[in-house]
Amino acid sequence: MTDAEWAEVRSAMPVPAWLLKQGGRPEAYCHREMLDAVRYLVDNGVKWMALPVDFPYWRAVYDFFRRWRACDYVRELYERLRRTTRERKGRNAEPSAGIIDSQSVDASETVGEDSRGYDGGKSRDGRN
């Protein structure tokens, strides 16, 4: 993660309780190192135990991610970054519309015509 990316992410991250004097103890690893390790895992598709030694111990990274996922901090961080980016571009913080697409699956000859269709964009006959 570049310094510019980290500055953006850091401003959107939730503040740990121990920094707010609300209890708990300081974490052993920097959040930047932890997020770098999680990004590496996602980007390269490796297993937790195959995390390179350049990152914190794999179990610490896993526990960090599991805690963040359980508290829904991953979604919260994503939402904060999305809102900030949209506002910076002069748009509303929340989108007004969305696009949903589905995957077309080839239909067997045994599938009735009432549930079959033709996807002109993909030039496929099948089911959605």
Side-chain angles (χ1 to χ4, degrees), residues 24-44:
R25 63 178 180 192
E27 296 182 16
Y29 296 100
C30 170
H31 283 173
R32 182 176 182 172
E33 292 176 352
M34 295 300 217
L35 288 175
D36 279 341
V38 172
R39 287 179 65 188
Y40 179 87
L41 286 162
V42 171
D43 184 45
N44 295 297

Side-chain angles (χ1 to χ4, degrees), residues 105-119 124-128:
V105 179
D106 284 334
S108 171
E109 290 78 25
T110 59
V111 175
E113 288 187 15
D114 58 332
S115 66
R116 292 173 69 143
Y118 181 76
D119 187 342
R124 291 182 72 158
D125 179 27
R127 300 180 75 167
N128 287 340

Side-chain angles (χ1 to χ4, degrees), residues 3-66:
D3 290 339
E5 288 173 333
W6 173 242
E8 191 70 34
V9 169
R10 185 175 185 190
S11 66
M13 287 181 65
V15 179
W18 66 270
L19 277 177
L20 299 173
K21 308 287 189 228
Q22 295 177 351
R25 63 178 180 192
E27 296 182 16
Y29 296 100
C30 170
H31 283 173
R32 182 176 182 172
E33 292 176 352
M34 295 300 217
L35 288 175
D36 279 341
V38 172
R39 287 179 65 188
Y40 179 87
L41 286 162
V42 171
D43 184 45
N44 295 297
V46 299
K47 296 180 181 179
W48 289 102
M49 291 174 39
L51 195 63
V53 296
D54 298 348
F55 296 111
Y57 181 60
W58 74 268
R59 187 65 196 203
V61 177
Y62 175 74
D63 289 341
F64 169 84
F65 178 74
R66 195 181 67 202

Side-chain angles (χ1 to χ4, degrees), residues 64-81:
F64 169 84
F65 178 74
R66 195 181 67 202
R67 250 190 345 267
W68 273 50
R69 187 184 58 201
C71 295
D72 215 21
Y73 287 154
V74 176
R75 180 177 301 280
E76 182 180 338
L77 177 60
Y78 168 77
E79 293 292 332
R80 288 181 184 187
L81 290 171

